[in-house]
């Protein structure tokens, strides 16, 4: 932060302190950084400053999904303390510049979790760990060393208390990283108290370098540098991709050795400057106290009163996790690395990195616009500078590298939300141009999306999710265009903001994938198919935050959308005909462990049933947040899951970032005071809130009755006061009328699209199809020759019979409303595939097992099998490892009767089912557990069956299914498989 900004911030904090209630106790006592280190939270427990460049934390393991942060509570040994960590992500990286104090013989490999004494690892006990904001400590049992860590923004501070020994060591491992590999490293022993170097790596960020400069409080007696395991005690420098080093001491009992480490993403010189400027000769306790004071200042921006102690711990830990990222990226002198690899100097604002934007645009970034407005403004500036350096607004930026992770153009809502709240004041036209460029570039299916009015499923995976995200982000651009007086852009992007309507299927009430204007079939809303991002149709179905009224039109009424929301929270997953146990983080099909669900409970306000929002939000908070180490339902994703709790606990949530509205939920605290950074405070009172009193009976704004189900941003920053009257029974009339509901774009009423209520589009002799529409009073018009229907076309009145290949197109129309999107049904007359004449078959399939890294199913045909055998059914029980392998199953399937059969494969990663050498269910490529299906007409008898599967990193899943005449949807039974073994 610049000096001028610092003075202004300090002055405003004094003003706000005069009008805000003061905390009676230190708020840091309610922060437990261990929350989220268990389960799948992926948080780290180490020392960091708010938004700091350094995250100095223990690493217990550095591979596999649950160790994305380097630490998991299930471990009982520590391999060292590195200076960079990601918080709550679903991919691993960082873990740069690892230091580890040891005693005894020099060991330069970490050893295994199963046998720590093989290397420099050490066992530890959880009761000997302590973590508070800005501080971490642990006792290393094997080395009898107490480790204490604290940090400044750009430097880490280690305090090691050694036993009496002639073999006290500090290991420096520059090969170590989290889920990456070191491509080069360098170390130099500058003196007997100074070490410098760098680590270059390739991982999630393909090219990332961290420089360091370290000072030791006591001269070391000797040192060694090892490359490829060969120790050299004479050299003072080394370079390579497997670089390790050590320094050695003789220590007295309880002797303390301090290590100060500055880091930089620019140079060793800047790392040295960072260390000198931020730590200099300050003692460990002084730096620890300063870090704690910084956290206390940040945490005090939201003061809560009432609630239980557990709720306060959940709240302030969530707020703590919300303030860890994005991270300061420029050095103390302003130098920073651009996304083009060049070195720049910051000019008047801080530069940030680690933008998990698809996750954080929903709640974290809006939270920062309230309590960290200066930082929020600098973050927008950082995104724009990255655009200038890279030519694209970031998608998921990590240390000046674009990971191309996730979907949409999520920088756009972050920028527009800040603009809408008055936090984008410089380079507005240039920033707007960057937003438009993101929506028009030729990547990630944007061009076909713009051309067809949706992203076709055969053009790119995750087509439904991408279409819905693009439509919302196009609304953001349209609204900014309107604000800037750009009428043509406003019209264009307003039209695109409604493209979500083109994927709605009225027959199922779901957003579905389309190819050539026809829905992809068959369809299972419970399956995580390739049409959706990290979710299924239930979880992405209602992502239309900018136009919920338009969504209501598609469903036909408030009641229909409300019913779908009710079903969402109760539906149990069914795959291949079997009901599955409810997953962790789920309520029915509501999945709180992932972002597409985070706004869903608040949608009841849009249909006049806010009491259901209040009920569900309380249930979510109680069910998915706790003070245990596994107290987060899923990945924290750089603070998004935590920011959801921060908002929800105080009683509101930003359903649609880019509006000025926060939709009302159910506050759990009796009083909340928020410092908004402008010398004013916002007050939320709920004096009778309790576990029983979760329903809003009435609400006042500045002591006047308030009938709306949202709070405006203007009321917050202007220092408004809202008081909730809470009750134990629902007040079903409060804010129920349409005028009281939150914002929806909905420029016109549009008829819901017609849909097929019965019949199949694939048939052997004929198909009879019935049509309907959700909009009351609408009429349906159709054509059967593929021409575009109008109200002058044939009017549908009775079911249609189709006997040949044809294309039906239909629209629904109602006077005074815009005509519906077009329904397209393609009818295909199938021909039965002849059965194969084979004899001498025996039960089972022949399997071939492969090992290696594969990215497509086809790559297995070039590999040599490590094992072959006979399998009863396609199953992973025949694999000999959990990652980087492939397996194929081949033989015959016995079809019991003539007819249409649907084959499926659920796989993580790629899997394809071939019938008679024809790919029927194609789930190829690297992805999470998703479902692929396909239908084929088969004659009674034997048909060649082959399933080919590969698995990369992460969890492995494989299941083969079938559905057809006399066969309900199920896993293919073993009695149907045969081979010639």
């Amino acid at each position: 932060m610049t000096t001028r900004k610092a003075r202004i911030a300090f002055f405003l904090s004094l003003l706000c302190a005069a009008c805000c209630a003061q905390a009676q106790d230190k708020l840091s006592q309610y922060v437990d950084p261990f929350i989220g280190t268990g389960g799948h939270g992926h948080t780290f427990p180490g020392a960091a400053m708010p938004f700091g460049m350094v995250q100095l934390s223990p690493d217990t393991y550095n591979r596999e999904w649950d160790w994305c942060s380097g630490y998991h509570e299930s471990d009982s040994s520590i391999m060292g303390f590195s200076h960079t960590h990601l918080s709550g992500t679903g991919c691993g990286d960082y873990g740069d510049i690892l230091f580890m104090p040891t005693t005894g013989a020099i060991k330069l490999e970490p050893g295994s979790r199963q046998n720590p004494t093989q290397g420099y690892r050490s066992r530890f006990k959880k009761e000997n760990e302590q973590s508070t904001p800005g501080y971490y400590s642990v006792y290393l049992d094997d080395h009898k060393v107490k480790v204490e860590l604290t940090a400044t923004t750009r430097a880490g501070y280690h305090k090691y208390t050694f036993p009496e020994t002639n073999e006290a060591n500090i290991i420096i491992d520059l090969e170590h990283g989290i889920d990456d590999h070191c491509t080069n490293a360098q170390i130099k022993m500058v003196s007997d108290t100074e070490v410098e170097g760098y680590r270059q790596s390739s991982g999630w960020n393909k090219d990332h370098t961290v420089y360091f400069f370290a000072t030791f409080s006591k001269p070391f007696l000797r040192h060694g540098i090892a490359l490829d395991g060969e120790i050299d005690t004479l050299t003072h420098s080394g370079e390579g991709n497997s670089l390790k080093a050590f320094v050695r001491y003789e220590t007295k009992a309880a002797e303390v050795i301090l290590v100060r480490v500055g880091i930089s993403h620019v140079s060793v010189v800047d790392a040295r400057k960072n260390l000198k400027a931020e730590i200099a000769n300050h003692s460990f306790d002084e730096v620890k106290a300063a870090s704690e004071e910084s956290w206390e200042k940040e945490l005090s921006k939201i003061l809560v009163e009432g609630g239980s102690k557990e709720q306060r711990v959940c709240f302030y830990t969530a707020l703590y996790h919300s303030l860890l990222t994005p991270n300061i990226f420029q050095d103390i002198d302003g130098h920073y690395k651009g996304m083009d690899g060049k070195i720049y100097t910051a000019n008047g604002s801080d530069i940030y990195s680690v933008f998990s934007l698809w996750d954080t645009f929903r709640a974290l970034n809006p939270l920062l616009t309230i309590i960290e407005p200066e930082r929020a403004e600098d973050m927008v500036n950082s995104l724009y500078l990255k655009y200038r350096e890279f030519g694209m607004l970031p998608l998921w930026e990590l240390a000046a590298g674009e990971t191309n992770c996730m979907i949409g153009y999520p920088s756009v809502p972050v920028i527009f939300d800040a603009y809408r709240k008055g936090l984008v004041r410089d380079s507005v036209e240039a920033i707007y141009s960057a937003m438009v460029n993101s929506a028009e570039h030729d990547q990630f299916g944007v061009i076909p999306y713009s051309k067809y009015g949706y992203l076709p499923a055969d053009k790119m995976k995750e087509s439904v999710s991408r279409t819905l995200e693009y439509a919302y982000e196009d609304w953001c651009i349209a609204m900014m265009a309107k604000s800037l007086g750009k009428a043509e852009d406003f019209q264009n992007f307003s039209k695109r903001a409604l493209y979500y309507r083109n994927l709605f299927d009225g027959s199922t009430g779901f957003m579905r994938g389309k190819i050539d204007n026809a829905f992809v079939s068959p369809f299972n809303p419970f399956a995580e198919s390739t049409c959706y991002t990290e979710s299924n149709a239930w979880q992405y179905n209602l992502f239309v935050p900018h136009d919920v009224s338009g969504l209501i039109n598609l469903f036909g009424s408030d009641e229909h959308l409300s019913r779908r929301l009710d079903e969402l929270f109760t539906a149990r997953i069914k795959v291949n005909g079997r009901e599955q146990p409810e997953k962790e983080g789920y309520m029915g099909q509501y999945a709180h462990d992932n972002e597409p669900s985070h706004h869903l409970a608040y949608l009841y306000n849009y249909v006049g049933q806010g009491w259901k929002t209040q009920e569900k939000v309380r249930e979510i908070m109680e069910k998915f947040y706790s003070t245990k180490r596994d107290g987060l339902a899923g990945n924290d994703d750089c603070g998004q899951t935590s920011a959801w709790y921060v908002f929800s606990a105080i009683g509101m949530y930003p359903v649609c970032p880019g509006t000025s509205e926060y939709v009302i939920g159910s506050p759990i605290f009796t009083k909340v005071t928020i410092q908004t950074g402008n010398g004013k405070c916002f007050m939320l009172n709920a004096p009778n809130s309790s576990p029983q009193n979760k329903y809003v009976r009435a609400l006042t704004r500045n002591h006047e009755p308030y009938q709306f189900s949202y709070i405006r941003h203007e009321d917050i920053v202007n220092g408004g006061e809202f008081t909730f009257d809470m009750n134990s029974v629902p007040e079903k009339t409060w804010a129920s009328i349409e005028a009281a509901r939150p914002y929806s774009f909905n420029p016109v009423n549009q008829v819901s699209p017609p849909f097929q209520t019965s019949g199949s589009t694939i048939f052997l002799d004929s198909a009879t199809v019935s049509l309907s529409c959700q909009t009351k009073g609408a009429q349906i018009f159709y054509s059967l020759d593929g021409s575009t229907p109008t109200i002058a076309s044939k009017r549908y009145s009775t079911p249609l019979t189709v006997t040949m290949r044809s294309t039906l197109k239909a629209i629904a129309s109602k006077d005074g409303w815009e005509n519906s999107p077009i329904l397209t049904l393609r009818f295909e007359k199938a021909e039965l595939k002849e059965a194969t004449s084979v004899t001498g078959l025996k039960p089972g399939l022949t399997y071939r097992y492969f090992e290696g890294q594969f990215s497509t199913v086809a790559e297995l045909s070039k590999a040599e099998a490590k094992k072959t055998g006979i399998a009863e059914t396609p199953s992973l029980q025949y694999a000999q490892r959990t990652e980087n392998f492939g397996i194929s199953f081949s033989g015959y399937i016995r079809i019991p009767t003539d007819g249409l059969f649907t084959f499926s494969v659920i796989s993580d990663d790629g899997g394809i089912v071939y019938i008679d050498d024809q790919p029927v269910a194609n789930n190829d490529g690297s992805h999470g557990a998703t479902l692929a299906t396909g239908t084929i007409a088969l004659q009674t008898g034997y048909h060649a069956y082959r399933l080919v599967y590969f698995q990369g990193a992460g969890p492995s899943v494989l299941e083969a299914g079938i559905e057809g005449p006399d066969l309900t949807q199920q896993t293919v039974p073993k009695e149907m498989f045969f081979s010639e073994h």
Side-chain angles (χ1 to χ4, degrees), residues 234-255:
L234 299 178
T235 186
H236 286 76
S237 63
E239 184 173 0
N241 61 8
S242 62
L243 191 62
K244 318 283 181 73
F246 72 88
V247 298
R248 168 160 282 191
Y249 296 93
E250 293 179 1
T251 56
K252 300 175 182 177
E255 182 172 353

Side-chain angles (χ1 to χ4, degrees), residues 30 124 332 342 359 521 615 788 805 858 878 907 916 919 927 932 978:
Y30 298 113
F124 73 102
I332 199 71
K342 298 178 182 178
D359 305 292
S521 294
E615 192 173 79
T788 300
R805 182 178 182 181
Y878 305 102
S907 65
D916 294 330
H927 49 70
F978 297 86

Side-chain angles (χ1 to χ4, degrees), residues 764-785:
L764 292 175
D765 298 314
S766 65
T768 299
V769 60
S770 298
L771 303 177
S772 186
C773 178
Q774 293 283 17
T775 304
K776 293 180 180 179
Q779 294 183 317
I780 299 173
F781 300 89
Y782 73 93
S783 68
L784 274 170
D785 59 3

